């Protein structure tokens, strides 16, 4: 892949993305004086459709879920709709496998503490040196539960290679915790190949999709993972996070709960009140991406798929392509300045 700024491929991708109409949907980008936002680790700005959803929820149905009166039933409907939306976004088979909460870190803690209570002969947990601390320390906190730890290490190219995982796997492997993309280098891990190896060994794989999620298509069926966490606020929602897990595994997890909370997913993972207006915002964020996909698909043949999933895939594919065109230009300039570039080659990382 060429990194030359005047490459037709780069220019075509940049011009094909409707960046001006996208920018128009984000109020934060039109403040006076201008607000220049580079802190992408803190999350993304939100489009108007998300602000409207949050505001509508707080004004019209700022009540608890689970009641018999209309406003409470509307909260239940909002949450159910958001599960459906995020389920489609992830290509999940069952919306009841989607749980909402504060952030990805809290979900990693919830699942790690639960798995720590189930360790028996299979007590080895594999972590990586490429992951965010959140997906390492939560697992390393389990030695009192009998956990043993192994490390899947990056190579000099700044990526994890599934073949390096093979010698670490055994009949004692309980779980492999790894990222889908590095939060530091952007390196994309072949998690589907890793999942195949882990499952052949009888273990499970837990994926941190926080950095990958805003930049490319998430597909839990293609990843073939067992758990996945992501932060919605990196993907245009207010501050919140979500967890996906195979239902049969979530049913077995011994989570902390009260008597009034059903001991089944997703409720058992969501003990207590979470921020319903932010869940409404997450549903709206998925709608925003779906609308981007619809806009990009208007020039395509009418016979092509126009399902919600198809529009989301189209949007995320276009976003990744556009971001890559910007990244290639940045890398070109950095190389001309004599900068040292770390990480894998351009088409194997997210931005």
């Amino acid at each position: 892949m060429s990194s030359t700024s005047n490459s037709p491929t780069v220019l075509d991708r940049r011009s094909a993305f409707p960046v001006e109409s996208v920018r128009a949907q984000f109020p934060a980008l039109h403040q006076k004086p201008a607000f220049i936002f580079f802190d992408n680790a803190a999350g993304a700005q939100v489009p108007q459709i998300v602000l409207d959803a949050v505001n509508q929820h707080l004004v019209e149905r700022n009540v608890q879920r689970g009641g018999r009166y209309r406003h409470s039933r509307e909260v239940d409907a909002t949450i159910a709709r958001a599960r459906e939306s995020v389920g489609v976004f992830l290509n999940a088979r069952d919306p009841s496998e989607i749980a909402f909460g504060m952030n990805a870190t809290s979900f990693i803690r919830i699942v790690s503490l639960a798995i720590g209570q189930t360790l028996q002969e299979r007590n080895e947990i594999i972590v990586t040196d490429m992951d965010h601390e959140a997906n390492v320390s939560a697992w390393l906190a389990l030695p009192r539960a009998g956990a043993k730890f192994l490390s899947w290490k990056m190579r000099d190219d700044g990526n994890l290679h599934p073949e390096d995982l093979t010698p670490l796997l055994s009949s004692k492997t309980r779980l492999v915790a790894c990222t889908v993309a590095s939060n530091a280098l952007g390196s994309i891990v072949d998690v589907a190949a890793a999942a195949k190896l882990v499952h052949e060994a009888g273990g499970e794989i837990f994926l941190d999709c926080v950095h990958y999620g805003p930049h490319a298509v998430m597909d839990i069926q293609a990843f073939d993972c067992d758990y996945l966490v992501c932060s919605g606020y990196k993907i245009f929602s207010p501050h919140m996070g979500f967890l996906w897990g195979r239902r049969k595994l979530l049913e077995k997890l011994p989570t902390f709960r009260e008597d009034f909370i059903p001991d089944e997913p997703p409720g058992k993972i969501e003990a207590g009140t979470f921020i319903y207006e932010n869940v409404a915002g997450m549903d709206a964020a998925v709608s925003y991406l779906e609308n981007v996909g619809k806009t990009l698909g208007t020039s395509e043949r009418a016979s092509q798929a126009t399902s919600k999933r198809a529009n989301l895939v189209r949007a995320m594919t276009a976003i990744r392509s556009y971001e890559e065109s910007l990244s290639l230009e940045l890398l070109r300039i950095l190389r001309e300045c004599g900068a040292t570039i770390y990480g894998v080659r351009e088409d194997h990382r997210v931005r």
Side-chain angles (χ1 to χ4, degrees):
M1 180 178 296
S2 171
S3 60
T4 305
S5 63
N6 61 2
S7 164
T9 302
V10 172
L11 292 176
D12 288 347
R13 282 184 289 170
R14 198 176 305 168
S15 62
F17 190 76
V19 64
E20 292 305 324
S21 64
V22 166
R23 285 176 177 162
Q25 298 180 61
F26 287 80
L29 302 183
H30 303 282
Q31 295 185 80
K32 301 296 182 182
F35 172 44
I36 308 301
F37 183 77
F38 285 126
D39 189 6
N40 72 313
Q45 298 302 305
V46 299
Q48 186 65 51
I49 188 175
V50 170
L51 293 171
D52 291 344
V54 172
N55 183 68
Q56 183 182 35
H57 183 93
L58 290 174
V59 171
E60 298 182 6
R61 59 187 71 91
N62 189 23
V63 300
Q64 182 59 276
R65 60 177 166 172
R68 297 181 180 180
Y69 53 100
R70 176 175 63 84
H71 295 82
S72 183
R73 293 199 304 270
E74 289 177 354
V75 175
D76 291 335
T78 296
I79 296 169
R81 186 170 59 249
R83 288 198 212 284
E84 290 278 356
S85 292
V86 174
V88 173
F89 192 40
L90 297 179
N91 199 25
R93 294 183 176 90
D94 184 348
S96 73
E97 296 175 325
I98 307 294
F100 295 124
M102 292 189 298
N103 47 53
T105 301
S106 61
F107 277 126
I108 297 172
R109 286 281 175 178
I110 289 170
V111 175
S112 69
L113 289 171
I115 286 179
Q117 298 178 62
T118 68
L119 296 177
Q120 297 177 3
E121 292 80 8
R122 286 186 176 274
N123 65 343
E124 291 184 353
I125 295 174
I126 299 172
V127 295
T128 88
D129 62 352
M130 193 171 88
D131 271 77
H132 190 286
E133 177 68 8
N135 200 29
V136 177
S137 60
W139 305 103
L140 295 183
L142 298 178
R144 291 185 179 179
K148 306 295 182 183
F149 306 99
L150 296 90
S151 181
W152 180 13
K153 297 186 179 298
M154 287 187 295
R155 292 189 188 177
D156 291 340
D157 66 358
N159 207 351
L160 297 166
H161 291 257
E163 54 265 39
D164 297 338
L165 179 61
T166 301
L168 304 177
L169 298 168
S170 72
S171 60
K172 292 184 176 293
T173 301
R174 177 66 174 84
L175 181 134
V176 174
C178 77
T179 186
V180 182
S182 167
N183 65 300
L185 300 173
S187 311
I188 300 173
V189 181
D190 187 352
V191 293
K196 184 175 186 295
L197 295 171
V198 174
H199 292 152
E200 287 174 349
E204 298 167 1
I205 186 165
F206 185 106
L207 298 182
D208 177 352
C209 217
V210 170
H211 187 69
Y212 184 86
H215 306 290
V217 177
M218 291 187 288
D219 189 336
I220 56 95
Q221 294 188 45
F223 294 162
D224 196 25
C225 53
D226 299 292
Y227 304 94
L228 180 147
V229 290
C230 196
S231 294
Y233 62 89
K234 306 294 179 77
I235 318 173
F236 311 119
S237 87
H239 277 83
M240 56 82 70
F242 53 86
L243 163 80
W244 171 87
R246 294 186 189 274
R247 185 176 173 89
K248 64 179 182 180
L249 298 179
L250 296 179
E251 288 172 346
K252 295 177 182 178
L253 285 182
T255 53
F256 302 100
R257 51 180 298 277
E258 304 292 342
D259 288 342
F260 61 87
I261 298 172
D263 189 20
E264 62 180 29
K268 65 183 290 186
I269 314 294
E270 299 172 339
T273 301
F274 52 82
I275 306 174
Y276 306 137
E277 62 268 26
N278 289 1
V279 172
M282 183 70 236
D283 178 48
V286 176
S287 294
Y288 156 73
L289 290 169
E290 182 186 6
N291 290 334
V292 171
K294 288 178 180 177
T295 300
L296 292 166
T298 54
S299 62
E300 299 180 5
R301 297 192 310 272
S303 61
Q304 286 199 309
T306 57
S307 68
K308 184 169 187 169
R309 174 66 183 174
N311 285 319
L312 290 169
V313 168
R314 185 183 293 116
M316 296 310 299
T317 301
I319 286 171
R320 182 175 179 189
S321 180
Y322 179 72
E323 289 180 344
E324 187 173 70
S325 72
L326 299 178
S327 178
L328 289 171
E329 177 67 3
L330 173 62
L331 291 171
R332 180 188 70 82
I333 293 172
L334 289 173
R335 289 190 181 100
E336 288 180 356
C337 295
T340 300
I341 310 297
Y342 294 94
V344 297
R345 70 178 191 267
E346 286 83 346
D347 57 341
H348 280 67
R349 72 167 89 186
V350 292
R351 278 65 196 165

